[in-house]
Structure formats: structure tokens, C-alpha cells
Amino acid sequence: MSKYYSNGKLLFTGEYLVLDGAKSLALPTQFGQDLVISPIKEPQLVWGSFTVTGECWFEAVFDLPKLRLKNATFNSDVEGSAEFIAETLQTILTEARKLNPDFLQVDSGFVVKTNLNFPRNWGLGSSSTLINNIASWANVNAYDLLWNAFSGSGYDIACAQNNSPILYQLENHNTSQKPKVDSVEFNPSFKEELFFVYLNKKQNSREGIKRYKLYQSKKDNITIQKDIDEVSMITQEFLNVTSTKDLEKVMLEHERLIASIIQLNPIKEALFSDYFGAVKSLGAWGGDFILATGNEDSLNYFKEKGFYTVVPYSKMIL
């Protein structure tokens, strides 16, 4: 039996602009996903994906070595279909084989189980942790697997592979992408005043990226570079904060910049205009988690607004 594990992720700074080479602060989470592989005699890949409560939400069987889908079931009435999920998995496995032609070229087979330790709708990286785990199993580069199978900046792959906060930047993003990952010290002394609030919906990052690219396409290269430089500077300011007040100032600065780029109201204006602390979107705007500064009264405030998942910083971040 073989087992692989990858960390989940949260993008603190540089949302959207990380795609264009901005320096961004990303934090691995205590939550993640594992991949457990057991050999069997039959030439099949028997796949099962399990939720944090141990329920199997997706099953599929592939013939080996051709990776031909035999059947699939999907226990969900929310998104997609069994065939769509199975074809997505098939794409990842096929691209992994292209990177390593020996992968899954066997006469026997495997039972594979994936286990999330966070709810699927939290948006902490159910896809990126899967891709990184499969890359580890196939002994291929996880960034290449991500970019060959799908798209994205790759910061989530970096979080999957690191156990401390990182600065992430795409170098030569207009030609051949090369991720630059540096471990950094980010452990605020005031972290008991920081909370993550789930907005009750998983955000489709592809839609947010599409909106971002639409507005950026109307700008000249000088203006775009100015945005990139500004968010990179704000990222550095995040690392230098020494108090909650300092952090709130930088959070507001970041929110104003991204709002001006994607032409959306910051989340505090949209949902929490009467909140006493600062609020910042994390990743694609409109869903998943936000960062909030606050105190013991914050939990009641967000619950009264209908947001019941409030996670303290120390229980979220590695």
C-alpha cells in the first residue's frame, strides 16, 4: 500500500494578479487530502473518493492499461455528473502518463481511495491536492501536470507541497511558466484576532479569472505592470505588519486595488458594511473563505448574518 498527502491552500494576497506574475502570499492549511493506493490482481483501476464524514461521493472503474472508463457513479445533486467527474479524472491520469509513459502500464491493477479532511464545498483545494497526489504517485512534476491538464497559477500546488507560508510568483509567465516559491515567516502575534469566514458557497474561480482577463484586456501593458507591482508591494507589506491595525490598513489597500481592477464591490461593502473589523476576500471574489479581523464578538456577528462557519486562524493555518 502507498499513501500520499497534500495540504490545502488559501491565497492571502495577489488574487487574479498572481496569474500575471505578481508576488503573492499563500498559506498552506491544516486541512488537505490523501491518496491511498492498494494493488489488486485484476487489470483495473478502482477509484473511490470519500468526504470528510467518510461517505463515498464518487466511484469509477477504468480498464488498465488503456485507462478506458467502464462505469462511474456520483453521489451529488449539486454539481456536474458522474461522467464529467470521471472524464476529468481520466484527463489527469492520461496527462500524468504522458509525462511518465510507464505510469499505470501494468498487467495488474489498483484500488485507489482519496480522503478529504474538510468539506468539499470549502474551496481549500480538493482539485489541487488531488493533482499533487497523483503527480507524486506518477513521479511527475505537479506543475506540469496542472498546466497540461487544466490551467491556473500553480500557487495551490506550491501550498500542497509546503508546510509553511510561502511567497509565490510566476516568472516568465508570458512564455514558459516557472514558479518561484520561497518559504517566509508569517506568524502574526495577534493571530487570535484573525478569523476565516465561509461565505456558504464555493466560488467558480474560472468565472472570476474570465472577468479579470476581460478587464485587463482593455488596459495597456504599462498599466497592467503597475497593478502587478502594486500588489507585489502590498504582499510585502503583509509580511511586515506588527499589529492588527497595520494589517487592517493593508487589507483595505488590497481590497481597493482588486476592486478597481475587476469592477466589483469589496466583500465588506457588499455583505458586512456594519462590521467593526476589516474583511478581505481570499482567492476568487464572491465565495469560499474571507479573512476577518475581530474579537470574541465576531462569531456572533457572522452567525447573525447567516454565516456559521467561522474558523480561528490557529485552527486553519499550518
Side-chain angles (χ1 to χ4, degrees), residues 70-130:
K70 288 190 65 177
N71 58 71
T73 57
F74 183 37
N75 182 23
S76 175
D77 57 0
V78 178
E79 56 174 319
S81 67
E83 291 75 19
F84 175 78
I85 301 296
E87 287 170 5
T88 301
L89 174 59
Q90 189 179 41
T91 296
I92 298 171
L93 295 170
T94 300
E95 292 299 332
R97 176 179 282 177
K98 289 179 182 177
L99 293 168
N100 178 4
D102 293 331
F103 180 54
L104 295 179
Q105 295 285 8
V106 291
D107 296 326
S108 54
F110 303 95
V111 171
V112 177
K113 294 182 179 180
T114 68
N115 303 281
L116 283 170
N117 64 12
F118 61 89
R120 286 180 59 227
N121 59 354
W122 274 16
L124 294 182
S126 55
S127 297
S128 57
T129 52
L130 174 65

Side-chain angles (χ1 to χ4, degrees), residues 9-56:
K9 49 73 181 179
L10 283 171
L11 187 64
F12 258 45
T13 70
E15 56 262 30
Y16 304 114
L17 289 159
V18 66
L19 292 161
D20 290 328
K23 187 180 293 185
S24 302
L25 175 63
L27 279 69
T29 68
Q30 296 179 28
F31 302 97
Q33 181 171 212
D34 67 24
L35 181 77
V36 182
I37 304 125
S38 302
I40 57 175
K41 293 181 179 180
E42 295 78 14
Q44 292 182 337
L45 183 64
V46 182
W47 193 282
S49 297
F50 293 81
T51 66
V52 65
T53 57
E55 298 174 21
C56 186

Side-chain angles (χ1 to χ4, degrees), residues 270-305:
L271 295 177
F272 309 115
S273 60
D274 59 341
Y275 183 57
F276 57 86
V279 176
K280 183 192 177 299
S281 293
L282 302 174
W285 282 26
D288 299 326
F289 282 91
I290 57 171
L291 171 66
T293 63
N295 55 32
E296 62 274 6
D297 295 325
S298 298
L299 187 61
N300 288 334
Y301 172 87
F302 289 111
K303 283 187 174 181
E304 288 174 1
K305 293 283 187 177

Side-chain angles (χ1 to χ4, degrees), residues 159-207:
C159 284
Q161 298 177 355
N162 284 271
N163 294 324
S164 64
I166 58 171
L167 283 181
Y168 184 86
Q169 188 172 26
L170 278 179
E171 298 180 322
N172 303 319
H173 60 280
N174 288 326
T175 54
S176 58
Q177 297 184 113
K178 182 181 178 183
K180 185 175 187 295
V181 183
D182 293 314
S183 295
V184 292
E185 183 70 28
F186 186 75
N187 186 24
S189 59
F190 49 88
K191 59 187 176 185
E192 71 278 359
E193 299 175 47
L194 304 180
F195 303 88
F196 298 98
V197 184
Y198 182 60
L199 294 182
N200 297 336
K201 62 179 180 178
K202 184 177 173 67
Q203 183 69 4
N204 186 332
S205 58
R206 288 186 295 273
E207 290 301 317

